[in-house]
Amino acid sequence: MIRVEWFYWLIGLFFLAVAASAVRDRTNPHRVPSAVFWALLGISFPYSSFVVAETAPAWPLGLLVIAIALIAGTGRLGQGSGAGTTSRQERQGLAERFGGRVFIPVLAIPVVTALFATLGPKISVGGQPLLQPLSETVIGLGVSAVVALALGMWLLRTHSLAVPLAEGRRLTENIGWASVLPQLLAMLGLVFATAGVGDAIGRSASAVLPSGVLLPAVVVYCVGMAVFTVIMGNAFAAFPVLTAAVGYPLLVTGFGGNAPAVFAIGMLSGYCGTLCTPMAANYNIVPVALLDLRDDYAVIRAQLPTAVPLLAANVALMYVLAF
Amino acid sequence: MLVLLGVLVVVVGFALRLNAMLVVTVAGLVTGFLGGLSLREILDAFGTGFAGSRSIAVFLLVLPVIGLVERNGLQEQARRLISRLARLTTGRVLAAYLVVRQITAAVGLLSIGGHAQSVRPLIAPMAEAAAVKRHGALPEAVSRRIRAFAAGTDNVGAFFGEDIFVAVGAVLLITSFVDTTYGLTLRPLDVALWSIPTAVVAFLLHGARSLHVDRVVAREVRAAASAEGRTGAVEG
């Protein structure tokens, strides 16, 4: 069986390779702390496998994460000059030489991922599923990255793995600490949940609610989902809290709402919040680094004029369709 | 209610634009202590949360191949392709991507799109090239605005397509939570169907905004050109 953990180990190896070349890069003003940052990440990925399997304690990983956050948070994560890649003129020339061939590896990524996601769960070998159940798409993305790399090296006459590794390191250093921020936020979400932040917010949501009138209850549920998602960075964390405080007791039991409609539109109101928050770092902050946008809130700003009217539309849709 | 101070740390930290890694770590420690957790329990929660969310990082594995094809002129090639297709404008590239992203997500193919694997190598350079074809070299601010909109389009398409797919993610979270908590028996298909009205509104709203990007770009290019003309005149 192909296990998703293999790909987490591969990411760990990749981080270690980034660390090994970062430590020798004299164009990086903070090359030693930067290398330590990537090396600690490289160790934390395979160590996590044992935490998930409950064969190792989780707290050392917590310490590792704090160390990683301290290096980044004190401005000691630097990056190299990125020299060594091709210039704009060279790329024009290469584009003419290779033509449409450069698209093939990029298009292989969605094709392979889609194959794994759709056919993967149906294949079994010797009575065992070929892919670890429920991780088919993540495995598909990992496999597609490897397949696309092999295809790319063959089509583009690249004979050394060092070339794509150096390019991958350049892009990873560009993204910098934003590459792990989404995981830190997931970890914060867990602490919030364990410490009872959700219950506290749920109590305040039901406290502001006037009783007996439908429209305010719909507004509190939808807007509450969006606001709580902005805080937590994740609509999945907001849903149980707001549903327990408002959605189920008031909208479904109290006003007799259509349960699937109330819950579906409530969740989608949360998604409007996801479009507005830096806490959803993988959607809103990572692309800032990937696309060289400078302003941390550039993506959020582009999304706000869609998110706000869409939230209003959700309130209207729920009011009209669910009752 | 004291635990809400942890939320306050996050809000204030982001508002002051302090380093997000520090803000998140401090907020986690503060919330944990106020919620009565011991240091050991907080560190355990940190570790478990990190280990359990590693799937978010798998996109990093595509970076070596993306870097390799970019090194060999991928973005330039995407621009050449666009310059040959006369009818494609920035807005139409973005709207077309919105359609594809929303439909593929709705049939469960969420991870075939994304910022690392499609927006950076293909969609953003194509959207920019379509504008260059029309207006010539773009001011950097306009280029960045187009790229940011391309990222936003990926998100909107993914979010408001994914929820229609029955077998993973949001729909299953909803049914499993309410079924176990309230003893209901919701059919996932019903939840998915009730997601369609919002998906349609999201498509109309963001699709219209995508097409409108053409006019925004034209306006900003004109504004930048006339500003340059003015300073040029003063210097001259």
Side-chain angles (χ1 to χ4, degrees), chain B residues 177-229:
Chain B
F177 172 74
V178 298
D179 287 4
T180 51
T181 317
Y182 306 117
L184 306 176
T185 44
L186 292 191
R187 290 195 314 151
L189 187 62
D190 287 330
V191 178
L193 287 177
W194 285 109
S195 302
I196 292 178
T198 305
V200 172
V201 176
F203 172 72
L204 294 175
L205 251 173
H206 199 79
R209 285 193 63 219
S210 302
L211 295 176
H212 185 67
V213 166
D214 286 338
R215 258 178 280 166
V216 176
V217 169
R219 196 175 58 217
E220 290 192 355
V221 168
R222 270 201 309 276
S226 68
E228 208 168 277

Side-chain angles (χ1 to χ4, degrees), chain A residues 183-252:
Chain A
Q183 279 178 270
L184 259 74
L185 288 161
M187 162 192 116
L188 179 64
L190 193 65
V191 177
F192 275 179
T194 324
V197 171
D199 304 331
I201 293 197
R203 279 198 300 278
S204 15
S206 33
V208 299
L209 209 69
S211 60
V213 198
L214 176 60
L215 187 60
V218 171
V219 171
V220 168
Y221 186 47
C222 292
V223 176
M225 274 297 295
V227 170
F228 195 36
T229 302
V230 166
I231 293 170
M232 301 289 283
N234 187 342
F236 290 6
F239 182 77
V241 175
L242 265 296
T243 299
V246 184
Y248 185 72
L250 269 169
L251 295 176
V252 175

Side-chain angles (χ1 to χ4, degrees), chain A residues 31-43:
Chain A
R31 66 189 171 98
V32 175
S34 303
V36 173
F37 176 94
W38 298 114
L40 290 179
L41 262 180
I43 297 165

Side-chain angles (χ1 to χ4, degrees), chain B residues 20 25 38 93 95-97 115 123-124 127 135 138 148 152 161 171 173 176 192-193 199 217 226:
Chain B
T25 313
S38 67
V93 170
Y97 183 61
H115 300 291
I123 306 304
H135 304 288
L138 299 174
V171 172
L173 181 105
S176 67
L193 287 177
V217 169
S226 68

Side-chain angles (χ1 to χ4, degrees), chain B residues 51 141 175:
Chain B
T175 54

